[in-house]
Amino acid sequence: MHAQEIIRSIEAEYQKKELPEIHVGDTVKVGVLIQEGNKERVQPYEGTVIAKRNGGISETITVRRVFQGIGVERVFLLHSPRVESITVLRRGKVRRAKLYYLRDRVGKATRVKQRFDRPL
């Protein structure tokens, strides 16, 4: 067995099977496990996916939202045990792979058109 095959077989154990199909431009709600003292709770983080990176175990999505007038971006490792759930709330109709141009936009200009041909 080659080294790459061994690595893939080990990674396969840690990959999540029940992830939804996520595309750039989608509005998603990510449930993140937050530890406060000795208690854990799930904190929802809702925003637009502006970038997707890599594949396999190290796949990440960058989610952007505006909180109290300030744009906040957060990168989530999809297969991380800290990410409890990901729900797609609406599909976005975009024509590029990275939506970094949304960083320069303010207010209603940051909206992404909704796409209806893909199921949620």
Side-chain angles (χ1 to χ4, degrees):
M1 244 162 92
H2 292 298
Q4 285 182 331
E5 291 174 30
I6 295 168
I7 291 168
R8 269 197 211 104
S9 66
I10 293 169
E11 282 180 353
E13 295 173 36
Y14 297 101
Q15 281 189 343
K16 294 179 182 172
K17 273 88 177 154
E18 64 287 332
L19 281 176
E21 201 174 309
I22 302 166
H23 299 279
V24 173
D26 293 354
T27 302
V28 293
K29 185 185 258 177
V30 183
V32 191
L33 273 174
I34 302 282
Q35 201 160 21
E36 290 175 340
N38 54 2
K39 284 189 281 188
E40 274 191 346
R41 67 180 182 88
V42 179
Q43 182 181 45
Y45 187 90
E46 192 178 313
T48 309
V49 178
I50 63 165
K52 262 182 87 171
R53 213 180 130 255
N54 294 345
I57 196 93
S58 60
E59 190 174 0
T60 63
I61 57 170
T62 305
V63 182
R64 179 177 174 83
R65 69 185 258 197
V66 176
F67 182 71
Q68 293 180 354
I70 298 168
V72 181
E73 286 178 16
R74 208 160 155 191
V75 179
F76 294 104
L77 196 58
L78 289 186
H79 299 284
S80 163
R82 288 262 160 244
V83 174
E84 181 150 295
S85 64
I86 298 176
T87 352
V88 178
L89 302 176
R90 58 190 292 247
R91 296 277 180 207
K93 189 174 184 180
V94 291
R95 292 169 64 173
R96 54 186 66 206
K98 305 278 192 265
L99 305 181
Y100 296 140
Y101 66 89
L102 291 180
R103 293 171 175 166
D104 305 325
R105 305 240 171 131
V106 176
K108 288 187 177 178
T110 60
R111 289 180 302 183
V112 174
K113 259 189 164 179
Q114 192 165 354
R115 184 175 185 155
F116 296 102
D117 58 346
R118 282 196 196 123
L120 281 177

